[in-house]
Amino acid sequence: GHLPALGPDLPEHPRGLLIGTTDGLSFEYRADDVRLLAVRQGDFVERTDWTGRGGSPLKPLGNVIDLIDAGQPEPMIRMSGPTTARLRGTSIMDGRATLRYSVDSTDDSRNSIHVEEWGEAAQLTAGSGYTRHMTLTMPPAEDSVTIRLPGGSGGVLHDSGGGTSPAIWATQRPDGQYRILLIETDASVALDESTVSFKGASMPGGVVELTLTTLILPEWNDDIRTALLQELSS
């Protein structure tokens, strides 16, 4: 449905998607070129598009707990050339709502990454937040796939050694809160400057499982970092 603007200087999204989970979160996406815009907590949605003659925007009811890249995120999955994330469908199975889309290369229509994604609330020792579970099926011909981590530049990367998963990407939001992204994957990757790169066709034609857990914390220090890395590695 039509999603209203997330702020006074932000665009509306006539092609939008709102996915609510049973643990009280809502994941808000633009659907023309699939990107996560925001995560909400609380009630789900009022179907205002059903009133009157229709055509009015949906009315999301939850409070925004995380506005991705100030509400205007760049493409998350990048290949060697320009890409578009095309919505392929949604489904409900095993108690969760799954979003399916393909990241298509505009240079080569045969070269696409197929993505299945679902989200849920997260609770770790340091605090609470949300998790995005992503399954990426890689194209055999692509040897350079980069995941741009939400949150933008200016953060600090902490890892368990060697610049590989598991790792933490820590940034401070304009409101003073800390946005902590926990990165876990089963693939051979390189972590550098807010990106996860699958280099050298490490998983040609294969399936990569990527888990991104976001915590919003009032403070950030070495003790919290060490505890989180230990929790991820256990």
Side-chain angles (χ1 to χ4, degrees):
H2 186 149
L3 289 173
L6 283 157
D9 299 321
L10 295 175
E12 296 184 356
H13 293 282
R15 291 191 61 201
L17 176 66
L18 194 66
I19 297 179
T21 68
T22 57
D23 45 26
L25 296 183
S26 301
F27 294 80
E28 190 166 337
Y29 296 86
R30 57 179 287 184
D32 55 336
D33 187 353
V34 178
R35 302 176 200 179
L36 181 65
L37 300 171
V39 179
R40 296 175 179 267
Q41 185 175 42
D43 292 339
F44 183 37
V45 66
E46 183 179 333
R47 292 300 304 264
T48 49
D49 59 326
W50 286 355
T51 61
R53 297 172 64 92
S56 58
L58 300 168
K59 183 180 178 182
L61 300 176
N63 294 321
V64 174
I65 61 171
D66 197 20
L67 185 64
I68 311 300
D69 294 334
Q72 299 194 82
E74 297 179 24
M76 183 178 178
I77 301 176
R78 299 170 176 173
M79 291 189 280
S80 53
T83 59
T84 300
R86 302 184 189 278
L87 179 65
R88 298 302 183 187
T90 59
S91 63
I92 298 176
M93 186 178 294
D94 298 327
R96 62 177 183 245
T98 299
L99 168 66
R100 301 190 310 278
Y101 55 97
S102 62
V103 180
D104 301 334
S105 170
T106 56
D107 294 340
D108 184 353
S109 60
R110 300 167 299 174
N111 215 14
S112 297
I113 300 174
H114 297 280
V115 183
E116 293 191 359
E117 175 178 338
W118 62 278
E120 63 176 343
Q123 182 67 53
L124 282 84
T125 303
S128 59
Y130 64 92
T131 297
R132 297 171 70 182
H133 300 273
M134 306 176 72
T135 301
L136 296 81
T137 302
M138 299 296 187
E142 186 60 46
D143 64 358
S144 178
V145 176
T146 299
I147 309 295
R148 179 185 177 276
L149 300 176
S153 59
V156 178
L157 179 69
H158 308 274
D159 62 70
S160 53
T164 60
S165 167
I168 297 170
W169 174 245
T171 56
Q172 190 169 21
R173 305 194 312 187
D175 63 3
Q177 297 276 83
Y178 289 88
R179 189 178 193 278
I180 309 303
L181 187 68
L182 314 178
I183 307 150
E184 299 171 272
T185 180
D186 62 349
S188 175
V189 300
L191 292 162
D192 179 39
E193 288 294 318
S194 78
T195 64
V196 179
S197 299
F198 302 90
K199 295 184 177 179
S202 60
M203 299 292 288
V207 175
V208 173
E209 300 291 344
L210 178 65
T211 300
L212 302 175
T213 298
T214 298
L215 305 179
I216 309 300
L217 304 180
E219 61 178 339
W220 178 246
N221 54 51
D222 286 342
D223 290 340
I224 297 174
R225 175 187 61 81
T226 300
L228 280 173
L229 283 173
Q230 290 176 346
E231 192 168 359
L232 290 178
S233 301
S234 64

